[in-house]
């Protein structure tokens, strides 16, 4: 069988690993329009601040592709997909036929129209090339502004602050990490950022970018401030990179629609990772997860399904983990439940100890979690979301620091461990 | 492939395993000096209450999953499974303390080592024939045995009371 994979990041790599675990026969061709193979995107901010060396970005051995017998074409962009003839044409004119195709083209950083492109000092943070550019700019900068308070914005701000730049974050919403946490947790995080002198401007947007020649000098905000800066990192979120299916009949909404087997509306074409839309366990709707953990899981399942080892995806749970000023923070699913839809919330707050825990329930099932300060056993709670377990018999213990696997053994019984032991 | 199993009916919750584990993973590997080390040693095993109180307890550490979700979640490729021993290994040099592994481990068996600023978990005590926790267990609740199979209802195996050696096993 001829397998073709477009994209060589989280999802594409995971697919290769699960295919090769069972299938040594099929040929695998992989196309990547980047030139730096197999680096972890999530580590980019750590490299930006020199917390890890450039080699530290590689998350697999340099010999990975030859070990896995993958024909990797770097710096090669797939530009056209012919779904009937089952082939892909690249920018270098090469044509690759396939029996099974995996679209793992990820996402692209959004760039608001009011920010001029190509100005020196204005960057996004998505690829290793982006980071190299930011690192060059850091050397001649004193002040940095980050536009956007999501995960990438926060990681960028922390890294730039560690580089020694005076760093401000401009956030449109009234809280940071608004997709991930609630007002209370945002308050904790903002305090920690403040302690390391990162200033956050809430309910603010950039209206104008000032430059001298083509070099950034300052930004102006809608609250009338002028913030001088030599570096602006635009982190206004991402969008699925669906270019390739534009003139095909493959169905998409925000991302490419997939079923539980990671198949698109075309039988032999699969999609996984940031480009794919999947079922979301906590909301019951279909959505793009745009997360590393989900991309790996989906790539893994896509790989298995492509070689006929059919396994169904339970669905995604949005989850994030990061440390802000040494305080660990993990969140899952619905953390800001809408009013009047039958959600119930349990919280525990120990302000002085820097601990905040929140569990969001609906019909006795966990739909969302925030853990700040104490994250032990976080994954045990996640397993309850994934199993859609009725937690009413131990609801009161969910936010306790003593809650753990033992609690489950004593109440609902040990989770189906076979799941983690039988591939 | 060997695994540490906890026979719940014998676990008294004395936490001797936690202590032995922390000492084994300390700089000096000796109790009296370990407690005075600059970086406070940390156990990779945890005694957990099964019924809310401490009447029923179990000691739990990494289950060395065949398909480790922690390895899938690790953003730096720092966790992998040794196909020969079946052990799930962490490469300390790769950990960036993002806690993605803790976010997904369904057993809560990965810990945050604040002193070392990285994630740690059971490594079956390399260099030892029998892991320190098993050796330290005064009641024989912890055993290190050849791993055979996973029961259909998970890994808890309950034998009837009447049997001479009744045990609730957590593999
Ligand atoms: C700075 C940063 C920090 C992050 N931190 C976290 C985190 O802590 N936790 C988390 O869960 N997630 C994090 N993420 C998100 C995570 O990196 C993504 O969810 C993940 O990389 C998605 O993997 P993917 O394989 O779907 O796509 P991508 O990683 O986007 O890779 C897709 C690849 O396909 C290539 N490609 C696209 N189109 C074509 C084409 N036509 N032809 C050839 N090649 C093509 C792209 O160039 C790219 O190399 C972070 C992202 C960034 C940028």
């Amino acid at each position: 069988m001829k397998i073709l994979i477009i994209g060589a990041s989280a999802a594409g790599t995971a697919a290769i690993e699960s295919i090769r675990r069972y299938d040594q026969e099929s040929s695998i061709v992989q196309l990547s329009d980047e030139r730096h193979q197999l680096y972890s995107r999530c580590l980019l901010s750590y490299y930006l601040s020199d917390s890890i060396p450039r080699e530290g970005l590689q998350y697999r051995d340099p010999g990975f592709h030859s070990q896995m017998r993958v024909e990797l074409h770097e710096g090669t962009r797939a530009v056209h997909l012919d779904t009937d003839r089952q082939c892909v044409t690249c920018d270098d004119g090469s044509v690759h036929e396939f029996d099974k195709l995996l679209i793992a083209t990820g996402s692209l950083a959004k760039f608001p129209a009011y920010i001029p492109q190509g100005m020196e000092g204005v960057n996004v943070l998505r690829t290793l090339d982006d980071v190299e550019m930011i690192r060059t700019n850091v050397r001649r900068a004193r002040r940095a502004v980050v536009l956007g308070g999501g995960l990438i914005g926060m990681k960028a701000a922390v890294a730039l602050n560690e580089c020694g730049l005076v760093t401000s974050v401009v956030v449109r919403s009234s809280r940071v990490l608004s997709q991930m946490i609630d007002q209370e947790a945002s308050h904790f995080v903002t305090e920690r950022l403040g302690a390391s002198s990162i200033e956050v401007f809430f309910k603010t947007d950039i209206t104008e970018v000032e430059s001298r020649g083509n070099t950034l000098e300052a930004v102006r905000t809608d609250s009338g401030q002028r913030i001088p800066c030599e570096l602006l990192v635009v982190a206004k979120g991402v969008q699925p990179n669906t270019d390739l299916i534009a003139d095909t009949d493959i169905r998409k909404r925000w991302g490419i629609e997939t079923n539980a087997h990671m198949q698109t509306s075309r039988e032999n074409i699969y999609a996984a990772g940031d480009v794919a839309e999947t079922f979301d366990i906590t909301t019951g709707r279909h959505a793009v997860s745009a997360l590393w953990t989900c991309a790996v899981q989906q790539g893994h399942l896509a790989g298995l399904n492509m070689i006929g080892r059919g396994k169904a995806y339970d669905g995604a749970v949005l989850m994030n983990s990061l440390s802000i000023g040494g305080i660990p923070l993990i969140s899952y699913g619905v953390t800001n439940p809408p009013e009047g839809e039958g959600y119930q919330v349990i919280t525990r707050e120990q302000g002085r100890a820097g601990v905040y825990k929140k569990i969001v329930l609906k019909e006795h099932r966990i739909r969302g979690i925030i853990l700040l300060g104490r994250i032990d056993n976080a994954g045990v709670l996640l397993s309850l979301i994934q199993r859609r377990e009725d937690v009413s018999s131990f609801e009161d213990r969910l936010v306790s620091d003593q809650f753990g696997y033992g609690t489950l053994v004593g109440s609902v019984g040990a989770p189906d461990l076979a799941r983690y032991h039988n591939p | 492939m060997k695994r540490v199993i906890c026979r719940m009916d014998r676990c008294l919750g004395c936490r001797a395993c936690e202590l032995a584990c922390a000492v084994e993973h300390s700089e000096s590997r000796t109790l009296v000096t370990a407690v005075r080390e600059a970086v406070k040693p940390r156990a990779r095993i945890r005694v957990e209450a099964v019924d809310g109180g401490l009447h029923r307890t179990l000691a739990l550490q990494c289950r060395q999953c065949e398909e480790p979700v922690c390895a899938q979640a690790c953003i730096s490729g720092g966790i992998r499974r040794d196909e020969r021993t079946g052990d799930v290994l962490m490469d300390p040099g790769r950990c960036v303390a993002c806690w993605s592994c803790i976010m997904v481990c369904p057993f809560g068996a990965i810990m945050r080592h604040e002193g070392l600023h990285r994630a740690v978990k059971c490594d079956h005590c390399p260099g030892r024939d029998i892991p320190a926790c098993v050796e330290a267990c005064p009641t024989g609740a912890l055993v290190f045995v050849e791993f055979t199979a996973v029961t259909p209802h998970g890994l808890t195996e309950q034998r009837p009371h009447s049997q001479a050696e009744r045990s609730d096993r957590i593999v």
Side-chain angles (χ1 to χ4, degrees):
Chain A
M1 187 164 63
K2 280 192 203 137
I3 295 174
L4 180 62
I5 298 176
I6 308 178
S9 183
T13 305
I16 291 170
E17 287 177 329
S18 48
I19 292 168
R20 277 294 179 245
R21 194 157 166 187
Y22 302 104
D23 179 343
Q24 312 305 324
E25 307 290 302
S26 297
S27 67
I28 306 178
V29 173
Q30 189 175 32
L31 310 174
S32 170
D33 62 359
E34 288 194 74
R35 288 199 179 272
H36 323 281
Q37 48 166 297
L38 278 190
Y39 67 87
S40 171
R41 219 168 282 294
C42 305
L43 292 179
L44 288 175
S45 63
Y46 298 84
Y47 170 53
L48 171 55
S49 60
D50 273 330
S51 306
I52 59 166
R54 193 176 150 121
E55 308 82 71
L57 291 170
Q58 285 171 15
Y59 69 104
R60 288 292 180 273
D61 293 337
F64 177 82
H65 289 97
S66 60
Q67 275 160 29
M68 294 283 162
R69 282 172 295 108
V70 172
E71 187 186 316
L72 172 69
H73 296 261
E74 284 178 275
T76 306
R77 184 170 180 74
V79 288
H80 182 75
L81 165 61
D82 187 327
T83 50
D84 293 323
R85 288 180 41 228
Q86 301 210 150
C87 66
V88 165
T89 311
C90 298
D91 55 356
D92 60 2
S94 60
V95 178
H96 301 272
E97 291 178 355
F98 61 83
D99 296 312
K100 301 274 178 190
L101 170 70
L102 174 61
I103 304 178
T105 50
S107 48
L108 300 168
K110 284 195 217 165
F111 205 90
Y114 57 87
I115 308 277
Q117 297 215 24
M119 181 183 291
E120 211 166 302
V122 181
N123 297 96
V124 294
L125 174 50
R126 182 74 203 166
T127 64
L128 182 48
D129 287 341
D130 292 334
V131 174
E132 292 297 4
M133 205 128 75
I134 298 175
R135 283 169 61 97
T136 308
N137 288 331
V138 161
R139 277 179 224 127
R140 51 165 200 82
R142 228 176 46 78
R143 293 199 48 151
V145 171
V146 174
L147 175 60
L151 179 70
I152 296 176
M154 284 296 111
K155 283 182 127 182
V158 169
L160 292 170
N161 180 57
E162 281 170 12
C163 291
L165 304 196
V166 180
T167 307
S168 315
V169 186
V170 175
V171 188
R172 198 171 47 197
S173 110
S174 61
R175 54 181 197 267
V176 291
L177 300 167
S178 59
Q179 308 283 319
M180 216 181 125
I181 56 176
D182 64 3
Q183 198 68 44
E184 284 80 356
S186 164
H187 185 72
F188 276 103
V189 171
T190 312
E191 245 173 32
R192 297 303 300 188
L193 292 173
S196 36
S197 62
I198 297 173
E199 196 180 0
V200 185
F201 298 95
F202 290 105
K203 296 192 170 170
T204 307
D205 216 336
I206 291 177
T207 47
E208 205 184 316
V209 176
E210 293 182 9
S211 63
R212 177 186 295 253
N214 191 36
T215 306
L216 172 73
E217 259 194 352
V219 296
R220 279 185 188 277
T221 68
D222 53 6
S223 49
Q225 270 139 328
R226 180 180 183 274
I227 314 172
C229 57
E230 298 77 39
L231 181 59
L232 170 65
V233 174
V234 179
K236 291 293 277 180
V238 294
Q239 66 188 71
N241 186 359
T242 56
D243 290 359
L244 201 59
I245 63 153
D247 32 303
T248 69
D249 59 2
I250 294 175
R251 278 207 297 274
K252 77 161 216 180
R253 282 176 292 247
W254 177 238
I256 299 176
E257 286 180 39
T258 59
N259 64 16
H261 295 275
M262 307 313 303
Q263 245 163 347
T264 67
S265 52
R266 279 281 182 152
E267 197 187 342
N268 293 324
I269 301 179
Y270 295 71
D274 281 16
V275 76
E277 210 170 284
T278 66
F279 181 70
D280 180 319
I281 296 180
T282 59
T283 60
R285 289 193 277 269
H286 280 75
V288 171
S289 45
L291 292 168
W292 182 267
T293 40
C294 298
V296 172
Q297 223 183 354
Q298 292 165 14
H300 168 70
L301 287 171
L304 292 179
N305 283 297
M306 285 161 81
I307 57 168
R309 294 186 76 96
K311 242 192 154 183
Y313 189 34
D314 294 341
V317 174
L318 299 194
M319 52 178 127
N320 273 293
S321 168
L322 81 164
S323 267
I324 299 259
I327 303 293
L329 170 64
I330 291 181
S331 78
Y332 307 92
V334 183
T335 55
N336 288 290
E339 300 260 332
E341 287 182 26
Y343 286 97
Q344 189 200 338
V345 171
I346 305 172
T347 55
R348 194 184 115 212
E349 191 171 335
Q350 275 172 282
R352 247 188 305 154
V355 175
Y356 176 65
K357 293 188 175 187
K358 175 176 182 174
I359 310 276
V360 177
L361 301 156
K362 192 173 184 177
E363 289 142 12
H364 304 297
R365 270 134 189 112
I366 305 178
R367 296 299 182 91
I369 304 168
I370 299 175
L371 301 173
L372 185 107
R374 296 236 174 91
I375 58 166
D376 301 333
N377 289 315
V380 180
L381 290 167
L382 168 65
S383 75
L384 293 171
I385 299 183
Q386 288 167 331
R387 294 158 61 193
R388 300 170 178 81
E389 193 71 64
D390 184 330
V391 297
S392 37
S393 67
F394 52 96
E395 234 166 65
D396 54 325
R397 278 187 270 161
L398 292 171
V399 291
S400 147
D401 290 335
Q402 266 65 51
F403 173 84
Y405 185 76
T407 319
L408 303 195
V409 173
S411 50
V412 288
D416 180 12
L417 306 200
R419 229 179 114 119
Y420 304 98
H421 284 271
N422 302 335
Chain B
M1 290 180 197
K2 283 190 148 183
R3 296 276 157 77
V4 180
I5 295 178
C6 177
R7 301 193 283 188
M8 264 164 58
D9 56 327
R10 292 174 175 232
C11 179
L12 304 178
C14 72
R15 307 175 78 175
C17 51
E18 290 185 2
L19 190 65
C21 178
V23 171
E24 178 67 20
H25 293 90
S26 68
E27 204 57 47
S28 61
R29 298 195 184 189
T30 317
L31 177 60
V32 268
T33 44
V35 291
R36 296 193 184 90
E37 284 174 17
V39 175
K40 201 165 164 267
R42 201 193 192 299
R44 279 93 163 130
I45 185 168
R46 179 164 48 213
V47 171
E48 294 210 1
V50 169
D51 51 6
L54 280 177
H55 307 298
R56 277 176 80 209
T57 52
L58 65 87
L60 185 78
Q61 73 290 75
C62 172
R63 307 289 75 210
Q64 320 290 352
C65 297
E66 203 163 320
E67 199 161 275
V69 285
C70 56
Q72 288 189 359
C74 179
I75 62 171
S76 60
I79 307 179
R80 63 178 185 87
R81 183 168 185 273
D82 183 321
E83 294 300 331
R84 195 178 48 84
T85 60
D87 287 358
V88 177
L89 307 173
M90 266 184 175
D91 177 350
R94 286 190 167 268
C95 182
V96 294
C98 75
W99 319 126
S100 293
C101 50
I102 296 178
M103 173 170 74
V104 299
C105 174
F107 306 102
I110 304 179
M111 286 95 175
R112 208 156 58 92
H113 197 312
E114 285 175 64
L116 297 176
H117 196 56
R118 63 173 167 89
V120 294
K121 67 167 204 66
C122 170
D123 54 6
H124 278 170
C125 298
R128 266 178 167 271
D129 291 334
I130 298 173
C133 56
V134 175
E135 202 171 270
C137 179
T139 60
L142 290 176
V143 286
F144 192 45
V145 293
E146 200 60 42
F147 172 75
T148 46
V150 186
T151 66
H153 9 261
L155 299 174
T156 309
E157 182 187 292
Q158 305 216 345
R159 292 200 203 136
H161 276 261
S162 55
Q163 230 168 297
E165 210 200 340
R166 171 189 176 264
S167 66
D168 302 341
R169 294 183 161 193
I170 309 288
V171 180

